[in-house]
Amino acid sequence: MSQTKGLEGVVATTSSVSSIIDDVLTYQGYHIDDLAEKSSFEEVVYLLWNGQLPNKEELQSFSQQLVENMEVPEEIFNYMKAYPIADVHPMAALRTAVSQLGLYDAEADASDIETAKRIAVKLQAKIATVVTGFARIREGKEPVAPKKDLSFAANFLYMLNGEQPNETATDAFNKALVLHADHELNASTFTARVCVATLSDFYSGITAAIGALKGPLHGGANERVMGMLSEIDTPENVDSYIQDMFDKKEKVMGFGHRVYKNGDPRAKHLREMSKKLADITGEDKWYEMSLAVEKKVTDSKGLLPNVDFYSASMYHSLGIDHDLFTPIFAVSRVSGWNAHILEQYSDNRLIRPRAEYVGPDKRSYVPLEER
């Protein structure tokens, strides 16, 4: 029996949701560059779930469905207020809250496609409110209700800060959501599909995916990038800091990718938005440090930045707490998880791979009294 460590290069399923071919990322056949530059996040979510871009009427209806489903049961926020706030990472809070949301949905256990699509809308809408609500509760503030006349991206920033964001901030956040929406069969997406392939419920699938995303080798990487930049502190310290990491054989987070050989195509868009926000805020040291780190790592190791690297300085420029970076990843990626769960339900087969046994062989049982 042949095996590949980490399933690298193994094709585990067929999917029409997204593709990575020759270092080109597409959603349902649309190039990521076109979607990042031209589409709203709502359009991209509709595309991922329906296989086509919406017309004006479809987009208006879908956007309205999302905003109308953003409110969460008050009990969820009451539970959050009982969490040991000082010790709870927002990803742990999100994982718990999404699981709890299933308790308040009478349709939670259904797996027929029409009901599943309604659940997908609920989860896509409510996850933004859960993340922003927790962020405010731990600061001793009350959650902010969404505004029905704001886009998904603008509503997230509004619910987080209690102030309507400017156009540049909204555009930057919208672009980040688009770029993180799906990425073929990554770890969290595979986890979601494995979970619902047992015909477990939608909420379990998303909860499982959040658990996988929480790890620093997946969604947690951008938070660790910002931690590194904070320790470096000034562009002048970059060379010695990164060289010290090289000498200690430590991994520089935000560089390299198992799938892309010539660079992550999403990184350039986030680099551009990081620069734009740095110019507006006047805090350009984070962008300058990022550029310096990129040059050092690329020149020394030949590694190129991935989507996590510049998303860190971009989110920081938006005034977002560093430990919220991964939950924001989830706010976007739930769109892809939902698409893959819908695809799995529509043509399901239990996912049950084999393992190559490498343990001891042909052992003889020794009675207890003789051991």
Side-chain angles (χ1 to χ4, degrees), residues 17 113 116 123 189 192-193 196 200-207 209 334 336-347:
V17 179
I113 293 301
L123 277 162
T189 299
R193 292 192 75 135
V196 302
S200 187
D201 64 282
F202 218 121
Y203 288 91
S204 292
I206 298 300
T207 302
V334 71
W337 295 335
N338 285 343
H340 282 271
I341 289 175
L342 291 170
E343 193 173 62
Q344 188 68 39
Y345 277 151
S346 68
D347 185 24

Side-chain angles (χ1 to χ4, degrees), residues 172 176 179-180 221-222 225-226 228-229 253-255 264 266-278 284-296 298 304-318 325:
L179 292 169
H180 285 93
N222 54 10
V225 169
M226 199 61 221
M228 175 184 70
L229 294 176
M253 301 303 290
F255 285 86
D264 189 330
R266 301 167 295 177
K268 63 180 179 290
H269 296 285
L270 294 171
R271 184 193 294 113
E272 176 188 329
M273 293 311 302
S274 178
K275 174 66 166 65
K276 187 175 291 188
L277 287 168
D284 58 357
K285 79 168 188 174
W286 306 104
Y287 176 72
E288 295 300 328
M289 274 193 291
S290 298
L291 280 181
V293 171
E294 178 183 356
K295 186 177 189 310
K296 176 70 174 178
T298 300
L304 296 168
N306 57 39
V307 72
D308 298 307
F309 187 67
Y310 279 99
S311 66
S313 55
M314 194 198 81
Y315 290 150
H316 177 82
S317 294
L318 288 171
F325 291 0

Side-chain angles (χ1 to χ4, degrees), residues 2 70 114 125 150 154 162 194-195 209 226 300 327:
S2 63
M70 276 188 165
E114 287 307 310
L150 294 181
V194 170
C195 181
M226 199 61 221
S300 301

Side-chain angles (χ1 to χ4, degrees), residues 35-44 151-154 157 167-180 273 314 318 332:
L35 296 172
E37 294 295 339
K38 302 171 184 176
S39 284
S40 67
F41 181 59
E42 290 89 334
E43 287 179 273
V44 167
S151 68
F152 189 94
L157 295 175
E167 185 177 346
T168 301
T170 299
D171 288 347
F173 195 69
N174 179 81
K175 185 170 290 190
L177 293 174
V178 169
L179 292 169
H180 285 93
M273 293 311 302
M314 194 198 81
L318 288 171
S332 171

Side-chain angles (χ1 to χ4, degrees), residues 13 15 17-18 180-196 205 208-210 212-213 218 329 333-341 343-344 351:
T13 190
S15 176
V17 179
S18 67
H180 285 93
D182 195 60
H183 206 235
E184 203 216 41
L185 209 58
N186 56 85
S188 55
T189 299
F190 186 60
T191 300
R193 292 192 75 135
V194 170
C195 181
V196 302
I210 291 170
L213 187 70
H218 191 10
F329 195 152
R333 184 56 58 83
V334 71
S335 62
W337 295 335
N338 285 343
H340 282 271
I341 289 175
E343 193 173 62
Q344 188 68 39
I351 299 172

Side-chain angles (χ1 to χ4, degrees), residues 155-175:
N155 248 321
F156 182 92
L157 295 175
Y158 169 70
M159 290 189 292
L160 182 64
N161 300 315
E163 299 176 357
Q164 192 158 323
N166 61 45
E167 185 177 346
T168 301
T170 299
D171 288 347
F173 195 69
N174 179 81
K175 185 170 290 190

Side-chain angles (χ1 to χ4, degrees), residues 232 234-243 288-289 292-293 296:
I232 293 173
T234 66
E236 292 73 25
N237 294 335
V238 167
D239 192 78
S240 60
Y241 185 98
I242 299 300
Q243 186 60 51
E288 295 300 328
M289 274 193 291
V293 171
K296 176 70 174 178

Side-chain angles (χ1 to χ4, degrees), residues 36-299:
E37 294 295 339
K38 302 171 184 176
S39 284
S40 67
F41 181 59
E42 290 89 334
E43 287 179 273
V44 167
V45 178
Y46 187 97
L47 169 66
L48 292 174
W49 298 0
N50 297 283
Q52 60 187 21
L53 289 167
N55 59 35
K56 287 184 178 180
E57 291 75 20
E58 290 168 335
L59 179 59
Q60 182 178 5
S61 174
F62 184 65
S63 300
Q64 185 175 352
Q65 289 177 50
L66 287 175
V67 75
E68 287 178 350
N69 280 278
M70 276 188 165
E71 292 187 7
V72 303
E74 188 63 30
E75 290 86 349
I76 300 297
F77 291 140
N78 290 336
Y79 285 127
M80 287 182 181
K81 291 173 182 177
Y83 293 169
I85 293 292
D87 302 316
V88 174
H89 191 282
M91 280 298 286
L94 177 61
R95 180 192 60 211
T96 302
V98 168
S99 181
Q100 289 174 326
L101 281 174
L103 303 177
Y104 296 91
D105 187 347
E107 299 181 310
D109 289 324
S111 59
D112 65 280
I113 293 301
E114 287 307 310
T115 306
K117 283 186 175 181
R118 288 197 296 272
I119 295 173
V121 169
K122 296 173 192 175
L123 277 162
Q124 183 67 65
K126 295 182 191 308
I127 193 170
T129 314
V130 167
V131 171
T132 56
F134 176 76
R136 292 183 66 82
I137 285 170
R138 69 176 180 173
E139 294 177 355
K141 303 173 183 176
E142 286 299 311
V144 173
K147 281 189 173 183
K148 296 193 182 298
D149 60 340
L150 294 181
S151 68
F152 189 94
N155 248 321
F156 182 92
L157 295 175
Y158 169 70
M159 290 189 292
L160 182 64
N161 300 315
E163 299 176 357
Q164 192 158 323
N166 61 45
E167 185 177 346
T168 301
T170 299
D171 288 347
F173 195 69
N174 179 81
K175 185 170 290 190
L177 293 174
V178 169
L179 292 169
H180 285 93
D182 195 60
H183 206 235
E184 203 216 41
L185 209 58
N186 56 85
S188 55
T189 299
F190 186 60
T191 300
R193 292 192 75 135
V194 170
C195 181
V196 302
T198 68
L199 294 186
S200 187
D201 64 282
F202 218 121
Y203 288 91
S204 292
I206 298 300
T207 302
I210 291 170
L213 187 70
K214 184 173 180 287
L217 294 183
H218 191 10
N222 54 10
E223 181 182 343
R224 291 181 65 178
V225 169
M226 199 61 221
M228 175 184 70
L229 294 176
S230 297
E231 288 184 3
I232 293 173
D233 190 48
T234 66
E236 292 73 25
N237 294 335
V238 167
D239 192 78
S240 60
Y241 185 98
I242 299 300
Q243 186 60 51
D244 186 55
M245 292 187 73
F246 290 161
D247 294 342
K248 294 177 180 177
K249 300 188 183 305
E250 295 177 351
K251 180 178 176 63
V252 182
M253 301 303 290
F255 285 86
H257 200 284
R258 180 176 292 187
V259 177
Y260 298 114
K261 304 307 178 187
N262 298 303
D264 189 330
R266 301 167 295 177
K268 63 180 179 290
H269 296 285
L270 294 171
R271 184 193 294 113
E272 176 188 329
M273 293 311 302
S274 178
K275 174 66 166 65
K276 187 175 291 188
L277 287 168
D279 290 342
I280 291 173
T281 61
E283 290 191 47
D284 58 357
K285 79 168 188 174
W286 306 104
Y287 176 72
E288 295 300 328
M289 274 193 291
S290 298
L291 280 181
V293 171
E294 178 183 356
K295 186 177 189 310
K296 176 70 174 178
V297 174
T298 300
D299 289 350

